[in-house]
Amino acid sequence: MNSPWAVLAAAMTAGTAISAIGFAYPTLSPYLRTDLGLSLTAVGLLNTFIYLGTMLGALPAGWLTDRFGSRRVLILAALAAAGLTWMIPLVAHTEFFFLVLLVGVGLVVAASTPAGSQAVAQAFPPTQRGTVIGLRQMAVPLGGALASALLPPIAEHFGWRWASLGIGLIALFAAWATSWLYREQGSSGLRSPHPSLPLGRILGQRDIVLVAIAGLTLPTGQFIMITYLILFLKERFGIPELTGAALLTAANLAGAFSRVFWSWLSDRLGGRRKPLLVSIVTLAAFCALSLAWLPMGTPLWFKAVIITLFGATALGWQGLHFSLLTELSPSGLEGRVVGFGLIFTSIGIALAPPVFGFVVEQTSSYTVGWLVLALIYAVGLGLLSRVREPL
């Protein structure tokens, strides 16, 4: 199959499975915490080690995508993800070795965004680019929803190691589905290398740099929520883990569908990404403030509304962000520019959960943690406001 929609389906399938593996271990944090005796700060390090690997793998993943093609990178990444999720529960019997293996998970996760974004950007015309990149980025919260819906029940009954083995089977299926759906033109050989574009020239692109650095702040709420929401609801309000997992699933689903909606809306508004990106980050900051000040007697349905809205905003930024990076990129270098942006989002993802956990532990207050998150969003808004978007 060579249709653009088959390419999109392949990119989403591989992206969902790989993202689910990236989310798997933070989602399983209550069970890992019990099994390994982790502190809140150590729980945050689960994401840190995963996205240390993503940060290290981002530029190489972009280069591999530009050089060998999206199809090969997506298939090999899904196969590697499956292998890691089977290896981790079998060999990780110490905390140190477990965390080292999470760096390998991050290296695999790094391949999904440059390869998937380039695949759909090249398969569709510019008038549809925002929508289809938004659809591709929908795979990330769908992966989170898959992880939060599937893994806690398995871990509850059989342990987190069996949950890890199970998610690996999904990655193996994704590799097969991607190979069947996606027939990249010219995939039998190497792509012609692009004329040299040193990192220094990318750094000379003011707007690419501003958007990339703003990416430090954009994923913070998403990964703080994925790592700590279940613990926050249990420790502050006494909500059981499985109920918290259901609310996290709702937030992930809201984020998945909102990415498509925001990206579609930006196409309808003339292809401008910046105004909507600024708007949804502002809404995410207000949701963080709402979580900070929720009183103890707040009804569950109201908590669900705030958490779902938080999912729709804190998880809704990626399609617009990577569309903007793709459109700022020189032609044929989308993989490397998106990989450059991924370095900064990976740093934000790696730092946010342990910083949040540290702040909560030091202040004995989740309220302070959510207020710090709102401040981080304000910094990102300041950076985005200076970007000159191409018309």
PDB file of all heavy atoms in Angstrom, residues 1-19:
ATOM      1  N   MET A   1       0.843  -1.186   0.000  1.00  0.00           N
ATOM      2  CA  MET A   1       0.000   0.000   0.000  1.00  0.00           C
ATOM      3  C   MET A   1       0.881   1.239   0.000  1.00  0.00           C
ATOM      4  O   MET A   1       1.810   1.335   0.777  1.00  0.00           O
ATOM      5  CB  MET A   1      -0.898   0.009   1.240  1.00  0.00           C
ATOM      6  CG  MET A   1      -1.861  -1.155   1.311  1.00  0.00           C
ATOM      7  SD  MET A   1      -2.932  -1.013   2.769  1.00  0.00           S
ATOM      8  CE  MET A   1      -3.858  -2.537   2.611  1.00  0.00           C
ATOM      9  N   ASN A   2       0.553   2.224  -0.897  1.00  0.00           N
ATOM     10  CA  ASN A   2       1.351   3.429  -0.976  1.00  0.00           C
ATOM     11  C   ASN A   2       0.535   4.689  -0.752  1.00  0.00           C
ATOM     12  O   ASN A   2       1.047   5.791  -0.945  1.00  0.00           O
ATOM     13  CB  ASN A   2       2.027   3.503  -2.350  1.00  0.00           C
ATOM     14  CG  ASN A   2       3.110   2.450  -2.515  1.00  0.00           C
ATOM     15  OD1 ASN A   2       4.063   2.406  -1.778  1.00  0.00           O
ATOM     16  ND2 ASN A   2       2.921   1.584  -3.492  1.00  0.00           N
ATOM     17  N   SER A   3      -0.729   4.575  -0.391  1.00  0.00           N
ATOM     18  CA  SER A   3      -1.563   5.758  -0.226  1.00  0.00           C
ATOM     19  C   SER A   3      -1.096   6.549   0.992  1.00  0.00           C
ATOM     20  O   SER A   3      -0.545   5.998   1.954  1.00  0.00           O
ATOM     21  CB  SER A   3      -3.020   5.366  -0.055  1.00  0.00           C
ATOM     22  OG  SER A   3      -3.256   4.874   1.249  1.00  0.00           O
ATOM     23  N   PRO A   4      -1.316   7.889   0.978  1.00  0.00           N
ATOM     24  CA  PRO A   4      -0.947   8.694   2.140  1.00  0.00           C
ATOM     25  C   PRO A   4      -1.613   8.210   3.427  1.00  0.00           C
ATOM     26  O   PRO A   4      -0.997   8.245   4.502  1.00  0.00           O
ATOM     27  CB  PRO A   4      -1.426  10.093   1.758  1.00  0.00           C
ATOM     28  CG  PRO A   4      -1.432  10.103   0.262  1.00  0.00           C
ATOM     29  CD  PRO A   4      -1.819   8.711  -0.133  1.00  0.00           C
ATOM     30  N   TRP A   5      -2.860   7.732   3.317  1.00  0.00           N
ATOM     31  CA  TRP A   5      -3.568   7.304   4.520  1.00  0.00           C
ATOM     32  C   TRP A   5      -2.980   6.021   5.093  1.00  0.00           C
ATOM     33  O   TRP A   5      -3.000   5.802   6.302  1.00  0.00           O
ATOM     34  CB  TRP A   5      -5.057   7.150   4.237  1.00  0.00           C
ATOM     35  CG  TRP A   5      -5.676   8.473   3.897  1.00  0.00           C
ATOM     36  CD1 TRP A   5      -6.053   8.926   2.671  1.00  0.00           C
ATOM     37  CD2 TRP A   5      -5.920   9.558   4.817  1.00  0.00           C
ATOM     38  NE1 TRP A   5      -6.532  10.205   2.749  1.00  0.00           N
ATOM     39  CE2 TRP A   5      -6.473  10.624   4.054  1.00  0.00           C
ATOM     40  CE3 TRP A   5      -5.743   9.730   6.182  1.00  0.00           C
ATOM     41  CZ2 TRP A   5      -6.844  11.837   4.636  1.00  0.00           C
ATOM     42  CZ3 TRP A   5      -6.103  10.939   6.754  1.00  0.00           C
ATOM     43  CH2 TRP A   5      -6.648  11.969   5.993  1.00  0.00           C
ATOM     44  N   ALA A   6      -2.432   5.174   4.211  1.00  0.00           N
ATOM     45  CA  ALA A   6      -1.751   3.979   4.711  1.00  0.00           C
ATOM     46  C   ALA A   6      -0.468   4.362   5.448  1.00  0.00           C
ATOM     47  O   ALA A   6      -0.121   3.777   6.480  1.00  0.00           O
ATOM     48  CB  ALA A   6      -1.432   3.028   3.550  1.00  0.00           C
ATOM     49  N   VAL A   7       0.243   5.371   4.915  1.00  0.00           N
ATOM     50  CA  VAL A   7       1.441   5.861   5.598  1.00  0.00           C
ATOM     51  C   VAL A   7       1.066   6.409   6.972  1.00  0.00           C
ATOM     52  O   VAL A   7       1.745   6.138   7.981  1.00  0.00           O
ATOM     53  CB  VAL A   7       2.134   6.944   4.752  1.00  0.00           C
ATOM     54  CG1 VAL A   7       3.283   7.582   5.533  1.00  0.00           C
ATOM     55  CG2 VAL A   7       2.646   6.351   3.446  1.00  0.00           C
ATOM     56  N   LEU A   8      -0.023   7.191   7.032  1.00  0.00           N
ATOM     57  CA  LEU A   8      -0.471   7.739   8.315  1.00  0.00           C
ATOM     58  C   LEU A   8      -0.840   6.623   9.288  1.00  0.00           C
ATOM     59  O   LEU A   8      -0.480   6.673  10.468  1.00  0.00           O
ATOM     60  CB  LEU A   8      -1.667   8.665   8.096  1.00  0.00           C
ATOM     61  CG  LEU A   8      -2.311   9.243   9.359  1.00  0.00           C
ATOM     62  CD1 LEU A   8      -1.317  10.083  10.151  1.00  0.00           C
ATOM     63  CD2 LEU A   8      -3.542  10.071   8.991  1.00  0.00           C
ATOM     64  N   ALA A   9      -1.561   5.614   8.796  1.00  0.00           N
ATOM     65  CA  ALA A   9      -1.950   4.497   9.659  1.00  0.00           C
ATOM     66  C   ALA A   9      -0.725   3.768  10.206  1.00  0.00           C
ATOM     67  O   ALA A   9      -0.679   3.386  11.381  1.00  0.00           O
ATOM     68  CB  ALA A   9      -2.847   3.526   8.890  1.00  0.00           C
ATOM     69  N   ALA A  10       0.286   3.581   9.356  1.00  0.00           N
ATOM     70  CA  ALA A  10       1.510   2.912   9.796  1.00  0.00           C
ATOM     71  C   ALA A  10       2.239   3.745  10.847  1.00  0.00           C
ATOM     72  O   ALA A  10       2.698   3.221  11.877  1.00  0.00           O
ATOM     73  CB  ALA A  10       2.421   2.658   8.599  1.00  0.00           C
ATOM     74  N   ALA A  11       2.354   5.049  10.593  1.00  0.00           N
ATOM     75  CA  ALA A  11       3.044   5.921  11.541  1.00  0.00           C
ATOM     76  C   ALA A  11       2.317   5.955  12.881  1.00  0.00           C
ATOM     77  O   ALA A  11       2.950   5.966  13.945  1.00  0.00           O
ATOM     78  CB  ALA A  11       3.164   7.334  10.961  1.00  0.00           C
ATOM     79  N   MET A  12       0.986   5.958  12.847  1.00  0.00           N
ATOM     80  CA  MET A  12       0.215   5.968  14.090  1.00  0.00           C
ATOM     81  C   MET A  12       0.325   4.645  14.830  1.00  0.00           C
ATOM     82  O   MET A  12       0.405   4.614  16.063  1.00  0.00           O
ATOM     83  CB  MET A  12      -1.250   6.298  13.800  1.00  0.00           C
ATOM     84  CG  MET A  12      -1.493   7.741  13.404  1.00  0.00           C
ATOM     85  SD  MET A  12      -3.257   8.124  13.280  1.00  0.00           S
ATOM     86  CE  MET A  12      -3.752   7.959  15.012  1.00  0.00           C
ATOM     87  N   THR A  13       0.307   3.533  14.095  1.00  0.00           N
ATOM     88  CA  THR A  13       0.405   2.215  14.729  1.00  0.00           C
ATOM     89  C   THR A  13       1.741   2.054  15.441  1.00  0.00           C
ATOM     90  O   THR A  13       1.802   1.683  16.618  1.00  0.00           O
ATOM     91  CB  THR A  13       0.229   1.107  13.679  1.00  0.00           C
ATOM     92  OG1 THR A  13      -1.060   1.230  13.069  1.00  0.00           O
ATOM     93  CG2 THR A  13       0.334  -0.268  14.319  1.00  0.00           C
ATOM     94  N   ALA A  14       2.825   2.347  14.712  1.00  0.00           N
ATOM     95  CA  ALA A  14       4.147   2.235  15.330  1.00  0.00           C
ATOM     96  C   ALA A  14       4.298   3.238  16.472  1.00  0.00           C
ATOM     97  O   ALA A  14       4.814   2.911  17.546  1.00  0.00           O
ATOM     98  CB  ALA A  14       5.239   2.454  14.280  1.00  0.00           C
ATOM     99  N   GLY A  15       3.824   4.468  16.243  1.00  0.00           N
ATOM    100  CA  GLY A  15       3.960   5.504  17.265  1.00  0.00           C
ATOM    101  C   GLY A  15       3.196   5.184  18.533  1.00  0.00           C
ATOM    102  O   GLY A  15       3.676   5.441  19.646  1.00  0.00           O
ATOM    103  N   THR A  16       1.997   4.602  18.392  1.00  0.00           N
ATOM    104  CA  THR A  16       1.198   4.255  19.568  1.00  0.00           C
ATOM    105  C   THR A  16       1.890   3.180  20.399  1.00  0.00           C
ATOM    106  O   THR A  16       1.991   3.287  21.632  1.00  0.00           O
ATOM    107  CB  THR A  16      -0.200   3.773  19.146  1.00  0.00           C
ATOM    108  OG1 THR A  16      -0.877   4.833  18.459  1.00  0.00           O
ATOM    109  CG2 THR A  16      -1.024   3.356  20.358  1.00  0.00           C
ATOM    110  N   ALA A  17       2.393   2.153  19.728  1.00  0.00           N
ATOM    111  CA  ALA A  17       3.051   1.057  20.452  1.00  0.00           C
ATOM    112  C   ALA A  17       4.331   1.538  21.130  1.00  0.00           C
ATOM    113  O   ALA A  17       4.595   1.218  22.303  1.00  0.00           O
ATOM    114  CB  ALA A  17       3.357  -0.088  19.491  1.00  0.00           C
ATOM    115  N   ILE A  18       5.131   2.324  20.415  1.00  0.00           N
ATOM    116  CA  ILE A  18       6.390   2.797  20.989  1.00  0.00           C
ATOM    117  C   ILE A  18       6.122   3.765  22.137  1.00  0.00           C
ATOM    118  O   ILE A  18       6.790   3.722  23.181  1.00  0.00           O
ATOM    119  CB  ILE A  18       7.258   3.442  19.894  1.00  0.00           C
ATOM    120  CG1 ILE A  18       7.704   2.371  18.886  1.00  0.00           C
ATOM    121  CG2 ILE A  18       8.482   4.127  20.493  1.00  0.00           C
ATOM    122  CD1 ILE A  18       8.335   2.918  17.626  1.00  0.00           C
ATOM    123  N   SER A  19       5.110   4.632  21.970  1.00  0.00           N
ATOM    124  CA  SER A  19       4.759   5.558  23.047  1.00  0.00           C
ATOM    125  C   SER A  19       4.249   4.810  24.275  1.00  0.00           C
ATOM    126  O   SER A  19       4.557   5.193  25.421  1.00  0.00           O
ATOM    127  CB  SER A  19       3.695   6.548  22.570  1.00  0.00           C
ATOM    128  OG  SER A  19       4.202   7.365  21.537  1.00  0.00           O
TER     129      SER A  19
END
